[in-house]
Amino acid sequence: MQPVAIGLLGLGTVGAEVARRIEDRQGAFARRIGRTVIVRKVAVRDPQKPRNVPIPADRYITDPIQVATDPETTLVIELMGGIEPARTAVLAALEAGKDVVTANKALLAEHGAEIFAAARRAGRSVAFEGAVGGGIPVIHAISVGLAANRFAALAAILNGTCNFILSSMARSGLSYAEALRQAQELGYAEADPTLDVDGTDTSHKLAILAQLAFGASVTTDMIPRQGIDTLQSSDIQYAAELGYTVKLLAVARDHRDAGLELRVAPRLVRRGSPLAEVSGPDNAIRTIGEPVGSNLMSGPGAGAGPTASAVLADVIDVIIGRAALTARSLDLWPADAPAPRLCSPRDVRGRSYLRFMIADRPGVLGTIAQVLGQHGVSIASVIQHDPGEDDHPDAPVPLVIMTHPASEADLVAALQAIDFLPIVTPPSIRLGVED
Amino acid sequence: MQPVAIGLLGLGTVGAEVARRIEDRQGAFARRIGRTVIVRKVAVRDPQKPRNVPIPADRYITDPIQVATDPETTLVIELMGGIEPARTAVLAALEAGKDVVTANKALLAEHGAEIFAAARRAGRSVAFEGAVGGGIPVIHAISVGLAANRFAALAAILNGTCNFILSSMARSGLSYAEALRQAQELGYAEADPTLDVDGTDTSHKLAILAQLAFGASVTTDMIPRQGIDTLQSSDIQYAAELGYTVKLLAVARDHRDAGLELRVAPRLVRRGSPLAEVSGPDNAIRTIGEPVGSNLMSGPGAGAGPTASAVLADVIDVIIGRAALTARSLDLWPADAPAPRLCSPRDVRGRSYLRFMIADRPGVLGTIAQVLGQHGVSIASVIQHDPGEDDHPDAPVPLVIMTHPASEADLVAALQAIDFLPIVTPPSIRLGVED
């Protein structure tokens, strides 16, 4: 049998790990595949840069399109990240008749329809286990192992940087800025962490998971998104007093006739529940399906080894022919699919954590409770903190309220009204509770 | 396209759930498969029994072999459980050229070699997601999603009955007998729970997982097995005082040159660690692989809905052709595989929980510590409990010791020596710690 010849786009930490494991003939990967696999061409920006990779320098090429369309290869692995030139190279590879394995969540979330249309035209498959959840085989779980289910909901921790920062803030009482700096020093956050901490990365991954689980054409612009960069450590401490941990969650929930609820936001999760106990840079995905019930998967959400595990699982799937069958049965990002019907905030009910900064004088709690009541929001518990010793006697003090279930629309309206009260220093904070 | 015609062996709670979902044309299952599927024949013991299943009574047949070999079917689903007549029926189905889906862990653990040899001869596939972990797609995860890894270890909670009983004993201080009765009343334990509580069911499932993860011909007789039926609630309470939960664990660990460690036993897991927090009837599987690192999957370990989810995932895999490709690339239970080299107790090191019943007088702790020391076992911590108020003044009192890591062989020898001391009431208890 001919060896399988691979074109590799990108040779960063993940690309180098994948290349090393393909060339390592002793690994589980090589044993499982039963065929010889070689990395025929590699697209790199700087071919002169010294690299600890067992690939001869004459296979390095600076033009990704040339690598993607090389007539000698049959499979292209895209690990460049970002939209361009990855998009053009993946489309060129498909058009040239090659299967594609990619870990690029931004590309799939923003151009999935175009890419899967090109794959269908070419009769090729696109596999993407590495795009979501790092080393957790969540794409295979949802699309293969749990394929017989109708999914009702999923809630997931999909960004290791954010989870590391939130874990540090909860454990050590660090501010967001301090926890971010620590994460950067330890290599868990990039120099420019914007796309991680503002929730963009998580919403890319949620768009992909929601596509798979609900068969809906979800794009990132449909997902209301709130990051962790505006979180205050005091809210994490008050949540802890109430028995909750704050996690950046990706949530998708099927409300049947009322539509699909989608969101990326910091949310309160009860301590001791499975998602609350996922700490550090790990990721986790909880799914609820019919007939299976509730499942949880957790593991390393990023890093060279875990992502290589996912990419190489896809390479095996493509080479032995399974990926083509999966692609055919899944009909991902169909060209003619209508957009999903999205839930209105009227239809989404849940408990909320509220924090107001109020004037420290009698009657204020009563006024706020009254406004909440006028909007149909009832109170489950209240914590009123004393002013700090160093605070000015007139400084506003925090008032923390846990509500009973109420509609999002009512909560938003109530908070708008409360923020107009002269006894309140806006903006008041609202975080949903994931029950 | 012709409809896919299925022969179903067994129509208990799982069989009925599978039949209903196959006949339900509205389900996720039907949408995913893209073909019509019908249950053509069903093997049942009593065709007259009233059943809430949308299958005409004229499709019921009492002879499973006749259903397994029916010329109109192409796929046989075996949900009878037990060894015979399941074994004969599955072999007959394969020989008649049918693919097989089964959830029968006892059959695969004890006759896997014979069944997979028959499948290879016939060029057919045997899929078995439902055999381990109920609704958790662990078979797909290990053999597909994590296929590029070399596994170093797995530790798993694989029996929901045992986990429910242990959770009750820990939470309510119930004795084993009381917790078992409660589990039976709630439907979490069968009238005859022997195969669950003595660890047999867990060892069947471990044999299957170890086959997959380590590519070794593991049979149940290689697995040292200890059940929960001899556990005392006092040991669960003392473990809790030390910060541990007791779980019935299936463990497989690759010690490379020293061989494969296999065991089923109640073990101490540190509270707050992922496996410790799996409570009630749930199952969980933790794997450690290279390059992925540590992964955890948890979910419902049994029941009609979860098992149907697993069986129907296999049905999809068989019908769209993926199961055949997986079977070919996996080479399960190869006929000529040597037995795995098993670890000697000399080579297995770990911490242990020890509980002695000793005479309540000075110097006894010193004597026991000395014997442990002579066997190379050093002590990490000691709890000596006061005698109960109602106890006879001469009644033995418990002495609980947590050791530092030591070899199993040394621990066994030390306990044998200690149980000969006149100041000790044997048998002393030893439970390993899963770190």
Side-chain angles (χ1 to χ4, degrees):
Chain A
M1 240 191 220
Q2 284 263 33
V4 179
I6 286 179
L8 177 59
L9 307 177
L11 202 60
T13 53
V14 176
E17 184 75 22
V18 166
R20 272 192 294 269
R21 293 194 176 267
I22 288 175
E23 297 296 316
D24 169 16
R25 303 276 173 252
Q26 306 306 309
F29 167 73
R31 274 185 284 118
R32 189 54 59 88
I33 212 115
R35 283 180 71 181
T36 314
V37 182
I38 56 163
V39 178
R40 177 70 72 196
K41 294 277 160 55
V42 188
V44 293
R45 228 173 289 166
D46 176 8
Q48 310 306 328
K49 188 172 152 188
R51 289 177 171 89
N52 183 20
V53 177
I55 293 178
D58 63 3
R59 300 199 194 148
Y60 292 167
I61 289 177
T62 52
D63 179 9
I65 309 299
Q66 195 184 330
V67 173
T69 57
D70 187 297
E72 286 187 81
T73 65
T74 57
L75 169 56
V76 169
I77 304 177
E78 186 274 303
L79 298 171
M80 289 183 289
I83 304 296
E84 287 294 356
R87 174 182 153 274
T88 306
V90 163
L91 291 171
L94 290 167
E95 203 177 325
K98 297 165 199 329
D99 292 304
V100 170
V101 170
T102 177
N104 191 329
K105 59 260 174 182
L107 179 62
L108 292 178
E110 298 189 9
H111 300 277
E114 182 184 22
I115 285 165
F116 283 90
R120 277 189 294 272
R121 269 198 310 277
R124 295 289 100 195
S125 54
V126 178
F128 50 98
E129 182 62 74
V132 184
I136 306 169
V138 60
I139 302 293
H140 276 95
I142 292 181
S143 57
V144 179
L146 298 172
N149 287 276
R150 185 196 290 269
F151 287 96
L154 66 87
I157 296 168
L158 297 175
N159 186 281
T161 302
C162 290
N163 206 53
F164 183 89
I165 291 172
L166 291 175
S167 299
S168 306
M169 289 173 76
R171 202 184 48 244
S172 325
L174 297 181
S175 72
Y176 166 75
E178 290 162 340
L180 170 61
R181 201 173 325 118
Q182 189 195 63
Q184 285 170 322
E185 282 164 12
L186 294 170
Y188 291 118
E190 296 187 41
D192 177 2
T194 312
L195 296 181
D196 291 314
V197 300
D198 76 357
T200 300
D201 175 79
T202 299
S203 72
H204 285 151
K205 292 165 176 170
L206 177 59
I208 295 170
L209 290 185
Q211 280 269 358
L212 281 176
F214 300 102
S217 282
V218 174
T219 51
T220 46
D221 56 320
M222 299 174 189
I223 304 174
R225 173 172 56 80
Q226 190 186 336
I228 64 164
D229 41 353
T230 56
L231 265 187
Q232 294 185 28
S233 60
S234 58
D235 290 312
I236 291 177
Q237 307 307 326
Y238 301 147
E241 287 175 30
L242 292 162
Y244 292 86
T245 303
V246 178
K247 295 290 184 190
L248 182 68
L249 290 190
V251 177
R253 211 180 323 260
D254 183 2
H255 292 270
R256 298 294 179 105
D257 290 343
L260 190 62
E261 174 190 351
L262 295 167
R263 70 170 79 239
V264 169
R267 286 171 77 76
L268 272 64
V269 189
R270 186 171 283 286
R271 251 201 320 254
S273 70
L275 287 175
E277 302 308 313
V278 176
S279 62
D282 273 5
N283 280 196
I285 302 96
R286 181 164 185 254
T287 55
I288 298 174
E290 226 283 299
V292 74
S294 171
N295 265 280
L296 182 89
M297 308 180 78
S298 63
T307 310
S309 163
V311 168
L312 294 172
D314 280 346
V315 169
I316 294 174
D317 260 18
V318 168
I319 292 177
I320 72 173
R322 231 167 17 200
L325 299 174
T326 306
R328 213 177 302 155
S329 81
L330 276 182
D331 198 22
L332 283 167
W333 280 274
D336 54 350
R341 179 166 160 189
L342 299 178
C343 252
S344 131
R346 282 256 140 251
D347 293 317
V348 177
R349 291 178 64 80
R351 298 186 301 133
S352 280
Y353 162 100
L354 309 176
R355 196 249 300 155
F356 306 98
M357 296 305 293
I358 59 168
D360 185 20
R361 57 172 192 259
V364 172
L365 171 57
T367 308
I368 287 177
Q370 205 174 18
V371 179
L372 288 172
Q374 285 160 357
H375 288 84
V377 178
S378 71
I379 294 174
S381 61
V382 175
I383 305 179
Q384 185 147 16
H385 279 267
D386 288 334
E389 278 186 25
D390 302 337
D391 286 345
H392 189 274
D394 292 339
V397 294
L399 170 70
V400 171
I401 290 179
M402 180 65 78
T403 75
H404 283 300
S407 91
E408 290 235 340
D410 288 339
L411 281 159
V412 168
L415 256 70
Q416 269 175 351
I418 289 169
D419 274 357
F420 268 106
L421 297 175
I423 50 171
V424 168
T425 309
S428 300
I429 299 295
R430 181 174 70 85
L431 298 171
V433 178
E434 188 68 22
D435 279 311
Chain B
M1 241 191 221
Q2 284 264 32
V4 180
I6 286 179
L8 177 59
L9 308 177
L11 201 60
T13 53
V14 176
E17 184 74 21
V18 166
R20 274 193 292 270
R21 294 194 175 268
I22 288 175
E23 297 294 316
D24 169 18
R25 302 276 174 255
Q26 307 306 310
F29 168 73
R31 274 186 284 118
R32 187 57 57 89
I33 212 114
R35 282 179 73 181
T36 315
V37 182
I38 55 163
V39 178
R40 177 69 74 198
K41 293 277 160 55
V42 189
V44 293
R45 229 173 287 166
D46 176 9
Q48 310 305 329
K49 187 172 152 187
R51 290 177 169 88
N52 183 20
V53 177
I55 293 178
D58 62 2
R59 298 197 196 151
Y60 292 168
I61 289 177
T62 50
D63 178 10
I65 309 300
Q66 195 183 329
V67 173
T69 57
D70 187 297
E72 286 188 80
T73 66
T74 57
L75 169 55
V76 168
I77 304 177
E78 186 274 303
L79 297 171
M80 290 184 288
I83 303 298
E84 287 295 354
R87 173 181 154 274
T88 306
V90 164
L91 291 171
L94 291 168
E95 202 178 324
K98 295 163 199 331
D99 292 304
V100 170
V101 170
T102 178
N104 192 331
K105 59 261 174 182
L107 180 61
L108 292 178
E110 298 189 8
H111 299 278
E114 182 184 21
I115 286 166
F116 283 89
R120 277 189 293 272
R121 269 199 311 276
R124 296 289 101 194
S125 54
V126 177
F128 50 97
E129 181 63 73
V132 184
I136 307 169
V138 60
I139 302 292
H140 276 95
I142 291 181
S143 56
V144 179
L146 299 172
N149 288 274
R150 185 195 291 268
F151 288 95
L154 66 86
I157 295 168
L158 297 175
N159 186 283
T161 302
C162 290
N163 206 54
F164 183 88
I165 291 172
L166 291 176
S167 299
S168 306
M169 289 173 76
R171 203 184 47 243
S172 325
L174 297 181
S175 72
Y176 167 74
E178 291 162 340
L180 170 60
R181 201 173 324 118
Q182 190 196 63
Q184 286 170 323
E185 282 164 13
L186 294 169
Y188 291 120
E190 296 187 42
D192 178 0
T194 313
L195 296 181
D196 291 314
V197 300
D198 76 357
T200 300
D201 176 79
T202 300
S203 73
H204 285 151
K205 293 164 175 169
L206 177 60
I208 295 170
L209 290 186
Q211 280 269 357
L212 282 176
F214 300 101
S217 282
V218 174
T219 51
T220 46
D221 56 320
M222 298 172 189
I223 304 174
R225 172 171 60 78
Q226 190 185 337
I228 63 164
D229 41 353
T230 56
L231 265 186
Q232 295 185 28
S233 60
S234 57
D235 289 313
I236 292 178
Q237 306 307 328
Y238 300 147
E241 286 175 34
L242 292 162
Y244 291 87
T245 303
V246 178
K247 294 290 183 190
L248 183 68
L249 290 190
V251 176
R253 212 180 322 262
D254 183 2
H255 292 270
R256 298 295 180 104
D257 291 342
L260 190 61
E261 174 191 350
L262 296 167
R263 70 170 79 238
V264 169
R267 286 171 77 78
L268 271 63
V269 189
R270 185 172 283 286
R271 252 200 321 253
S273 70
L275 287 176
E277 302 308 312
V278 176
S279 62
D282 273 6
N283 283 12
I285 301 96
R286 181 163 186 254
T287 55
I288 299 175
E290 226 286 298
V292 75
S294 170
N295 265 280
L296 181 88
M297 310 180 77
S298 63
T307 310
S309 163
V311 168
L312 293 172
D314 280 345
V315 170
I316 294 173
D317 260 16
V318 168
I319 292 178
I320 73 173
R322 232 168 15 202
L325 299 174
T326 305
R328 213 178 301 155
S329 81
L330 277 182
D331 199 23
L332 284 166
W333 279 274
D336 55 350
R341 179 167 159 188
L342 299 177
C343 253
S344 132
R346 281 256 141 253
D347 294 317
V348 177
R349 290 178 65 81
R351 299 186 301 132
S352 281
Y353 162 100
L354 309 177
R355 195 249 299 155
F356 306 98
M357 296 306 292
I358 58 168
D360 185 21
R361 57 173 193 257
V364 173
L365 170 58
T367 306
I368 288 177
Q370 203 174 18
V371 178
L372 289 172
Q374 284 160 357
H375 288 84
V377 178
S378 70
I379 294 174
S381 60
V382 174
I383 306 180
Q384 186 148 14
H385 280 267
D386 287 333
E389 276 184 24
D390 303 336
D391 286 345
H392 189 277
D394 292 340
V397 294
L399 170 71
V400 171
I401 289 179
M402 180 65 78
T403 74
H404 282 299
S407 91
E408 290 235 339
D410 288 339
L411 280 159
V412 168
L415 257 71
Q416 270 176 351
I418 289 170
D419 274 357
F420 268 107
L421 298 174
I423 50 171
V424 168
T425 308
S428 300
I429 300 296
R430 181 173 71 85
L431 298 171
V433 177
E434 188 68 23
D435 277 312

